[in-house]
Amino acid sequence: MYDLARIDVNLAAKPVCQFLRMRGPLVEDPDLHQDADQVWIERALAALPEPVASEVGTWVKVMREQGPREGEPRGYDGIRR
């Protein structure tokens, strides 16, 4: 999508990519489509000493699995705080 957006500033790259993705020829690059919240969590955990990082990582996992409604993950805004 990023390469398509660079072709022309007036090109609506998102609808083009959605069209191509539905038909199969679009190849995703996982390095370009990382979840910003997940990247933030991984960096924050990497900065912590190991016993703490493991415990905080477990806490984040539990928080994501126990949202305000059954089957709904808790948002990263609360986890960041």
Side-chain angles (χ1 to χ4, degrees):
M1 182 160 108
Y2 298 106
D3 291 336
L4 281 175
R6 283 187 229 151
I7 292 172
D8 182 358
V9 295
N10 297 318
L11 176 67
K14 188 172 183 177
V16 171
C17 288
Q18 289 171 341
F19 174 83
L20 293 173
R21 187 177 299 115
M22 287 181 353
R23 281 148 184 83
L26 183 66
V27 177
E28 297 281 344
D29 184 352
D31 292 335
L32 292 176
H33 301 285
Q34 295 179 346
D35 180 6
D37 291 315
Q38 187 62 37
V39 169
W40 179 83
I41 292 291
E42 290 171 5
R43 285 185 185 152
L45 292 176
L48 296 172
E50 182 40 47
V52 176
S54 177
E55 291 177 14
V56 172
T58 300
W59 177 80
V60 169
K61 183 178 178 183
V62 168
M63 293 299 288
R64 289 293 292 159
E65 293 173 353
Q66 295 180 358
R69 294 186 189 94
E70 188 175 332
E72 180 180 308
R74 187 164 305 273
Y76 280 105
D77 55 339
I79 291 172
R80 282 181 186 259
R81 282 188 242 134

